[in-house]
Amino acid sequence: MLVPLRPLMEAAEKYNYAQGAFNVNAVAQAKAVIEMHETFRSPAILQGADLANAFMGGRVDFANGTLEDKKVGARRIADAVKKYGEGSPIPVVLHLDHGDSFELCKSCIDMGFSSVMIDGSHLPYEENIALTKKVVD
């Protein structure tokens, strides 16, 4: 079942354990991560990283991926995680890792990602704060 990130992090803090998060760049990776976590009856966090999303969107030179490339890739990752995670007996988080724009974060939320991270570290401090607030709102 897909769940938000917060409950997993709260449980990890409360019971003092580490919770791994795994970037997945292919359908087979998403399936493998979920199946392994099911074996151990452990929650799973699967991430689509910004550059990996461009790669999954078909961009070989993924460092130059466009917003559209990233959206296509994020959709592919979301579909894979949903396929194997929605019927799973363990909690599964679908997380956007280091999203670089408001538009990408919003698109991922609209696609069913249960968590997003905006990375405004490339911006001046005040702009970073404003962007983060915009995504949170």
Side-chain angles (χ1 to χ4, degrees):
M1 74 187 103
L2 293 181
V3 300
L5 180 62
R6 183 180 299 265
L8 270 66
M9 294 294 90
E10 289 172 348
E13 184 174 349
K14 180 177 180 179
Y15 296 107
N16 199 30
Y17 65 86
Q19 174 67 55
F22 300 89
N23 284 354
V24 292
N25 303 319
V27 174
Q29 288 176 333
K31 182 177 187 257
V33 169
I34 291 170
E35 286 177 351
M36 188 52 59
H37 280 78
E38 287 174 348
T39 298
F40 291 102
R41 298 184 332 191
S42 173
I45 302 171
L46 287 86
Q47 304 181 139
D50 187 65
L51 293 178
N53 288 339
F55 179 77
M56 283 290 292
R59 189 71 180 228
V60 176
D61 62 336
F62 55 87
N64 295 311
T66 66
L67 177 59
E68 290 309 310
D69 296 328
K70 294 173 185 180
K71 285 181 181 180
V72 169
R75 168 65 64 200
R76 289 179 177 154
I77 291 169
D79 289 348
V81 173
K82 287 177 187 177
K83 177 178 180 179
Y84 297 106
E86 285 183 340
S88 178
I90 62 165
V92 176
V93 172
L94 173 56
H95 175 73
L96 171 65
D97 190 30
H98 292 274
D100 68 350
S101 69
F102 171 81
E103 293 77 13
L104 181 59
C105 287
K106 179 165 182 346
S107 292
C108 286
I109 291 167
D110 292 344
M111 288 177 211
F113 277 62
S114 54
S115 174
V116 297
M117 175 208 177
I118 184 67
D119 183 350
S121 63
H122 60 284
L123 299 171
Y125 183 73
E126 295 301 324
E127 290 178 37
N128 187 346
I129 290 172
L131 177 60
T132 302
K133 182 177 181 344
K134 184 176 179 182
V135 170
V136 170
D137 289 345

